[in-house]
Amino acid sequence: AVDPLLAASASIIAGQLAPSLLASAWVKLITSTEVAEDNIATSSHHSTAGRLVNHSNKFVIQTQNVCGGITNPHTFSAIQQRLELDQPDAYIATEAGQDCSPEKLMFLHRKMSPTPDNEEKYITNFQSELPYTIFSCATPATGERGGVVLFLHNKYKSRIIGKPTYDVKGRWLSVDVRTPKGRTTIIAAYLPPNPQDNSAAKEAWANLQDYVISRHIKKRTVYLGGDL
């Protein structure tokens, strides 16, 4: 015979679980057709202990002041090695100098080795060696050491939204991409120092702040990096 108390307890538990099970099934049903961004952020970085740490759902940005000479072969070679080793989602080089156009930097990357006769094959090999899209700008202002370069990993190339935005004074640039966190604005900047005592620096800071606020108003994730 079944114990009446056990039977009653089982009925109570079943009654409590039923709504929860139904709710879970309903949530799975209504979310099964939702369109979401794939998790493609698989970049990594080295911890202070020297171990390789993998990030499953993070957008990794590295930034470095290259002291006015990104076209120096030694400097650019060091940057290239860093990109190949760490493979960050984005890399920002500041104080890169006036001559920092993407075309110039891509030319510097060319290796002195026999190239395939097939142009398409050559381009494929070239991009696989440096799988980054390059954006840059430089201020023409007299007496300012400027130049900003953004390297964006090509896994985001098809996710770029619209065209880049460039500061009219050449002090910063921004690119919109779709990431696992949604629409994201990446801003690479190099601003003049001492905004408290320098009117040009104060104006540059105010312009950048206004732009960042405009992105937040549109509910976008904003990553601001560089030399600020």
Side-chain angles (χ1 to χ4, degrees), residues 12 14 20 23 39 45 48 74 78-79 84 93 113 132 140 146 150 155 161 171 179 187-188 196 205 207 209 217 224:
I12 293 174
S20 177
N39 178 17
H45 74 88
T48 55
H74 298 290
I79 292 173
E84 292 176 350
S113 59
Y132 285 85
L150 170 65
K155 65 185 176 183
I161 305 170
R171 295 189 175 103
T179 72
I187 305 175
Q196 299 85 355
W205 273 92
N207 291 339
Q209 288 173 356
I217 290 176
L224 172 61

Side-chain angles (χ1 to χ4, degrees), residues 22 45 57 100 114 147 213:
L22 288 173
H45 74 88
N57 191 27
C100 62
I213 291 171

Side-chain angles (χ1 to χ4, degrees), residues 201-212:
K202 187 178 298 184
E203 180 185 0
W205 273 92
N207 291 339
L208 180 57
Q209 288 173 356
D210 289 343
Y211 183 75
V212 172

